[in-house]
Amino acid sequence: MKTAFWFRRDLRVYGNEALIEAINEGARDALFFYCKPQWQQHNTASIQIDLLERRLVELGALLSEFGVQLHIIEAGMFTELPERLSAFCEENNISRLFANKEYEVNEIARDNECSKRVSLRCFDGDVIAPPGTVLTGSGEMFKVFTPFKKAWLKLFSDQRFNFQHWPLEKRSAGEFTTPSFFAMTMESQKWPVDDESIVAVVNRFIKDKLTDYQGDRDFPAIKGTSGLSPYLALGIISPKQLLTQIQLDNPEVLERPSQPEFCWINEIIWREFYRHLIVAFPKLCKGSNFNEKYNAVAWQAVPEVFQLWCEGQTGYPIVDAAMRQLNKTGWMHNRLRMIVASFLTKHLLIDWRQGEAYFMSKLIDGDLASNNGGWQWAASTGCDAQPYFRIFNPITQSEKFDPDGTFIRTYVPELKNVPAKHIHFPHDYLSAFGGQYCAPIVDHKEARARALEAFKV
């Protein structure tokens, strides 16, 4: 009887400890279930599916060079997988599978059912601290980020990370053939999928941008963010791999949170926090408010207003530019994600779940835990020490983070000739000098007062 490896959202060879363990146990077969109907039911963006397909082709070819055959099996819903997995293992004389855990509620249920059919050993390859290892003194999950971060750092601040490399020498197993059911639309072609290019992206960020990240990250006109989130979302790179590489040049980075290089690592800890939350509170995977007292908020059901937000036609330039960036590129700058989420939930009083679903349907880096956590943070329904009256002013946010309107002009070309001092809310200027741009769908002061009243419940 043989051993095999089951790929999920861990589409990497290097630093994939579960894969390496399987190889050391003799595995020469790997499999991936292509469950497009399941993904589409959960709003997975077509651009992310395209990135996944392109990476699977690259991965299959790479594995074949080392004598490992990747079997990509077309399936429907996760409920089909126990039977399909049993058939695959029986046909290939496989008695044991290695895999990396996925933490969403449907994925956990899938693995529980599959483990009844075949021996399944799962690793925590998507996180640095496995869920359940960062707890309060009373053994409970933290409900606020800052104490979680302190406890996380206490575990790892004096640790030097490392990750395992690929243990095999090249030995051909034949060519990998692209599955006929792949669409391969090339929507995601801006994002390279070969390891050499990805390593170059990682190195460029760490060498050239990491030190300046703290000062640049909030300005969408500057390419100051890492650009690594799509690769993290599909497990093409791992957080442990990134932290290992950062520590090569900054060995004390976890012991000195005040240094600028730590700012980006703080985002990795946020990512861990949200993953730990969905394990401790599975209701988060089912669209529930974390803070149940906000179940009483009367969200507004106004489809035409929601559609204007989706299309970037709100009359608030920074909001519209951000939404148009999302629709055009499949990605949105993190500062802008906070601005548009606050605008939808506070200014328009539209349920955060609608925004969460729309983001997932468009984002190349869509990730349930982080997307849910971010939306509930913006809506004040989630894990947050800040009260409900945090409401971003889209005009002052625009003035602060896109002061000369460079980003706005990129995605709202009808404002390209508006002077910088007027571009953040250009309606008076346009009335005097002419120009076409949509009217604001709400008045900021009135919307803020309405939100405060609605959230008082």
Side-chain angles (χ1 to χ4, degrees), residues 310-312 322-331 358 362:
C310 292
E311 294 172 357
M323 294 305 297
R324 296 183 197 186
Q325 180 188 41
L326 173 64
N327 294 331
K328 183 177 181 179
T329 71
W331 185 82
Y358 189 76
K362 294 292 182 180

Side-chain angles (χ1 to χ4, degrees), residues 125-139:
D126 190 42
V127 290
I128 295 170
T133 61
V134 183
L135 301 171
T136 67
S138 57

Side-chain angles (χ1 to χ4, degrees), residues 45-51 54 185-191 220 223 225 227 229-230 310 320-334 336-337 358-366 407 410-412:
S46 62
I47 191 173
Q48 187 177 73
I49 293 176
D50 183 64
L51 181 67
R54 291 174 55 231
T185 62
M186 300 304 290
E187 283 183 85
S188 66
Q189 62 181 329
K190 177 183 174 183
W191 307 89
K223 292 185 177 180
T225 59
S229 56
C310 292
D320 293 343
M323 294 305 297
R324 296 183 197 186
Q325 180 188 41
L326 173 64
N327 294 331
K328 183 177 181 179
T329 71
W331 185 82
M332 186 191 291
H333 187 278
N334 186 60
L336 302 179
R337 297 187 197 203
Y358 189 76
F359 265 34
M360 285 298 290
S361 75
K362 294 292 182 180
L363 283 171
I364 192 171
D365 60 359
F407 176 79
T410 301
Y411 290 99
V412 189

